[in-house]
Amino acid sequence: MSTLHSKAAATFCKDRQKTAWHDETFWALRQKRDAMMHMLPEWESLREHASAIKKHTLTHLADYLDMFSRQLESRGVIVHWAKDAAEFNDIVLKILQNHGVKKMVKSKSMLTEECEMNPFLISHGIDVVETDLGERILQLLHKKPSHIVVPASHLKREEIAACFEEKGISKEKGNQDPTYLTYCARKSLRQEFMEAGAGMTGCNFGVAKTGDIVVCTNEGNADMTTSMPKLHLVAMGIEKIIPDYASLAVFQRLLVRSATGQPTTGFTSHFRQARPGGEMHVILVDNGRSNTLADEDHWQTLKCIRCGACMNTCPVYRRSGGYSYTYFIPGPIGINLGMLADPRKYSDNVSACSLCLSCDNVCPAMVAPGSQVYVWRQTLERVGKADKLKKVMSEGMELLFDHPKLYTSMLHLAPLANLVPEAMTHYSNLNPWGLGHSKPVFAHKCFHELWKEGKVKK
Ligand code: SF4
């Protein structure tokens, strides 16, 4: 019954101290989010409003994309359309080559991770430098993000200090002070900003009515990325469109409160046109999103605003870490996005869910990622990925529940299980689910019998 996720999670959990620390770190984010939520009495209606805006926009997507692109073009912005990751990468490469760019700085964008843009550009001789602190640390360590909002939060300061020392970014041996390390990162990035021929940002929201690219960061790195080089590229998934400023106000109130429990992001920047003497390109990427829109069970994933709240609250994510998942986005929303990308390749992640549905409750856009995982589980048989042992067990349960007499006789036999030593049922490799649990004691009389005997208090 082991999946790739559960094997990776078992490795992660071997370091019990780090597992507990990881759990606490992300639970603290969830608590901060709760504190913010309680400060807004209208929180639940904001969520409903956000969900309705997304539904409306997604059901009129072509119209809003058209409005958005025309607004941008009216101000000289060059708009490109990429049907998939390969087309997106080619468009970016051509723009950079046409401008003779050898180095590009970029702010955080999960879309570029999805399209594997960095390795593609690097293989064509273009240096790509991440400017978000967490992303930069991971780039230096040759690692991937383990969370969509706080990508390097799984790393401890000792690990970051050692990396900075090794790369010559920090000069003071053994200095692990976060303020010092941030200072070192800033100093080294400053040089990269000066040398870069282009800057790329992602896009949190694209406002159709005005053609604004709205980027939210806490470090101001998107602003440095766009104010040093004269060439600005925007990587944007087509689902990021919202109708107008009134809609933006709703999402702005929800996004960062849900993500990090702050009342607002440090920087919210609106980009509408190129700087004087510069050039701005917006690349709108589909890469499977149109197919998702046509999927009546899972179109809601397109409402996601990538706040990461579903990860912070997820007991499986917190206790198994982001790298245990086989898709590059972990946690509840990652399970869904992986299944939409390739259900055969990423199906093992659907087991990484306790179906507690805490993610459904915190999600600001009411994506219901947990409920959708439940739906994906029903499709495993169809894609040839149902676990054989679980199938046998489910069929056995079905047989019992369909035959009440058989069910009752089995209940009478259940107390025999009390005779089997716990070491065999719970602390052996035969039952990986038993590890960490104690064996329940079966009652000698079942509920039905006690009820008939009048021994159950009403
Ligand atoms: S599914 Fe909801 S909670 Fe999870 S990242 Fe998306 S918007 Fe946030």
Side-chain angles (χ1 to χ4, degrees):
M1 263 196 277
S2 294
T3 62
L4 289 174
H5 177 275
S6 62
K7 281 183 193 151
T11 310
F12 179 83
C13 290
K14 274 188 188 143
D15 186 342
R16 295 185 85 109
Q17 230 182 351
K18 190 159 183 185
T19 310
W21 170 78
H22 191 273
D23 183 23
E24 281 160 23
T25 303
F26 288 95
W27 185 246
L29 280 181
R30 158 74 207 255
Q31 286 178 312
K32 278 172 140 184
R33 171 256 174 216
D34 288 355
M36 278 293 148
M37 177 201 80
H38 288 304
M39 286 167 76
L40 294 185
E42 68 275 31
W43 184 260
E44 286 307 316
S45 50
L46 268 179
R47 288 177 73 216
E48 277 164 26
H49 201 145
S51 173
I53 293 170
K54 278 283 180 184
K55 185 175 179 183
H56 165 78
T57 320
L58 289 165
T59 47
H60 299 78
L61 192 56
D63 296 336
Y64 280 118
L65 284 169
D66 186 44
M67 194 189 293
F68 179 66
S69 60
R70 276 200 272 142
Q71 276 294 334
L72 286 165
E73 282 166 350
S74 72
R75 294 190 294 267
V77 178
I78 303 157
V79 179
H80 307 257
W81 303 86
K83 72 171 184 304
D84 55 24
E87 217 169 89
F88 167 74
N89 288 338
D90 280 339
I91 291 169
V92 175
L93 179 64
K94 277 205 189 94
I95 298 169
L96 297 178
Q97 284 175 338
N98 287 345
H99 288 79
V101 174
K102 290 278 167 243
K103 181 182 282 194
M104 178 168 80
V105 281
K106 75 179 266 278
S107 69
K108 201 163 147 306
S109 152
M110 291 311 283
L111 177 59
T112 58
E113 292 285 338
E114 177 184 324
C115 298
E116 300 184 333
M117 184 198 75
N118 286 14
F120 174 81
L121 292 181
I122 290 165
S123 73
H124 286 82
I126 293 169
D127 191 10
V128 185
V129 180
E130 297 287 349
T131 61
D132 171 271
L133 180 57
E135 290 279 358
R136 181 65 182 145
I137 293 165
L138 293 170
Q139 188 176 38
L140 292 167
L141 287 166
H142 305 289
K143 287 189 173 172
K144 298 234 167 236
S146 81
H147 188 284
I148 56 173
V149 174
V150 281
S153 275
H154 61 294
L155 295 174
K156 292 195 140 185
R157 71 171 78 162
E158 304 89 79
E159 296 170 86
I160 297 163
C163 163
F164 278 16
E165 267 177 44
E166 194 200 315
K167 306 284 178 190
I169 290 171
S170 78
K171 307 286 179 225
E172 290 178 22
K173 212 170 172 344
N175 192 341
Q176 299 174 353
D177 174 42
T179 309
Y180 170 71
L181 294 173
T182 311
Y183 163 77
C184 294
R186 187 185 297 134
K187 207 168 157 214
S188 103
L189 276 173
R190 207 142 283 241
Q191 192 57 31
E192 307 286 3
F193 284 122
M194 305 284 280
E195 291 169 6
M200 174 179 265
T201 62
C203 172
N204 290 92
F205 304 104
V207 184
K209 199 168 175 186
T210 55
D212 288 32
I213 303 288
V214 183
V215 182
C216 309
T217 72
N218 269 329
E219 299 168 15
N221 56 313
D223 306 85
M224 286 293 283
T225 299
T226 50
S227 55
M228 295 298 290
K230 292 232 165 174
L231 177 61
H232 178 194
L233 284 72
V234 179
M236 175 177 168
I238 54 173
E239 84 285 13
K240 296 287 182 182
I241 286 278
I242 53 170
D244 48 23
Y245 274 4
S247 324
L248 180 64
V250 174
F251 289 106
Q252 278 292 79
R253 298 186 80 199
L254 288 165
L255 175 64
V256 74
R257 284 181 171 89
S258 301
T260 52
Q262 295 165 269
T264 182
T265 38
F267 300 84
T268 299
S269 309
H270 292 233
F271 301 105
R272 302 177 109 197
Q273 62 189 50
R275 294 168 54 205
E279 211 170 282
M280 183 171 169
H281 294 254
V282 174
I283 308 138
L284 286 152
V285 185
D286 186 315
N287 204 32
R289 286 158 177 78
S290 297
N291 293 340
T292 303
L293 192 56
D295 184 329
E296 61 182 29
D297 287 329
H298 300 290
W299 68 270
Q300 304 214 46
T301 52
L302 294 172
K303 295 194 296 185
C304 174
I305 56 170
R306 301 291 193 272
C307 71
C310 55
M311 296 168 198
N312 305 339
T313 199
C314 176
V316 180
Y317 174 84
R318 284 188 279 111
R319 291 235 144 223
S320 64
Y323 294 147
S324 299
Y325 299 78
T326 52
Y327 192 58
F328 80 101
I329 295 182
I333 188 63
I335 298 173
N336 284 285
L337 295 174
M339 288 302 278
L340 286 163
D342 188 339
R344 283 189 60 79
K345 190 168 173 192
Y346 299 113
S347 64
D348 62 297
N349 294 324
V350 300
S351 300
C353 174
S354 67
L355 293 182
C356 67
L357 303 191
S358 177
C359 50
D360 285 15
N361 290 328
V362 299
C363 176
M366 300 185 120
V367 169
S371 298
Q372 290 193 55
V373 170
Y374 177 70
V375 176
W376 281 118
R377 286 191 182 171
Q378 324 301 313
T379 66
L380 290 178
E381 174 77 353
R382 184 158 42 85
V383 294
K385 284 294 196 174
D387 183 279
K388 287 193 180 70
L389 188 52
K390 280 186 191 165
K391 249 180 90 178
V392 171
M393 284 164 65
S394 302
E395 279 161 10
M397 295 300 280
E398 192 180 6
L399 182 77
L400 279 182
F401 290 137
D402 281 351
H403 298 84
K405 281 192 182 148
L406 181 63
Y407 177 79
T408 313
S409 355
M410 291 310 284
L411 273 185
H412 284 125
L413 294 175
L416 288 175
N418 294 336
L419 304 172
V420 184
E422 196 170 58
M424 273 179 71
T425 59
H426 276 63
Y427 298 111
S428 75
N429 289 333
L430 285 174
N431 180 15
W433 290 99
L435 297 175
H437 299 96
S438 50
K439 195 179 82 163
V441 178
F442 282 92
H444 286 278
K445 277 192 181 173
C446 67
F447 177 81
H448 288 151
E449 285 174 299
L450 293 173
W451 180 265
K452 275 184 199 155
E453 290 169 14
K455 289 184 181 160
V456 178
K457 282 189 190 142
K458 291 181 189 169

